[in-house]
Amino acid sequence: MGDDWWPYIVIAVAGWLATDIWRWLGVLAGNRLNEDSEALYWVRAVATALVMAVTAKLIVFPTGTLADAPLWLRLGAAGIGFGAFLIAGQRIGVAVVTSTLLLGLGLYWLGF
């Protein structure tokens, strides 16, 4: 290995050490939590809110090629995907596949 690789190795190891310890601490703490506790309900609610906020940001303020797609297409694909999610018995995979296919077809149809 040449000297060119050392910065990347240091970055990878430092990134792994910085994040992996939190994962292990989460596993240790999670084993001691009661699944029906108020604290865990709160954590789930915050995690869900964060995921939905990121999703909304990606739909309303996208970057890259998606930024060129019209807002109605992005909102329509997300809305129909949500409807498919509800119809399919709340299966996330159905929503993701439906939304992605609709968005891809819409972008293709619009010539992107």
Side-chain angles (χ1 to χ4, degrees):
M1 244 185 197
D3 292 335
D4 297 343
W5 290 95
W6 281 111
Y8 299 109
I9 292 171
V10 169
I11 290 169
V13 170
W16 175 76
L17 288 174
T19 60
D20 204 47
I21 188 146
W22 297 111
R23 290 183 187 131
W24 283 105
L25 288 172
V27 168
L28 291 174
N31 287 333
R32 295 190 172 108
L33 288 176
N34 178 7
E35 287 188 34
D36 295 325
S37 71
E38 289 294 322
L40 200 53
Y41 284 138
W42 180 80
V43 168
R44 285 183 190 145
V46 170
T48 302
L50 287 172
V51 169
M52 292 313 303
V54 170
T55 303
K57 183 179 181 288
L58 288 172
I59 292 170
V60 179
F61 303 109
T63 59
T65 302
L66 196 56
D68 295 332
L71 180 62
W72 63 264
L73 177 61
R74 298 189 309 259
L75 289 173
I80 293 171
F82 181 67
F85 167 77
L86 294 176
I87 291 168
Q90 297 186 357
R91 293 187 179 153
I92 294 173
V94 172
V96 171
V97 169
T98 302
S99 296
T100 304
L101 283 175
L102 287 172
L103 186 60
L105 288 171
L107 289 172
Y108 177 77
W109 182 65
L110 291 172
F112 284 93

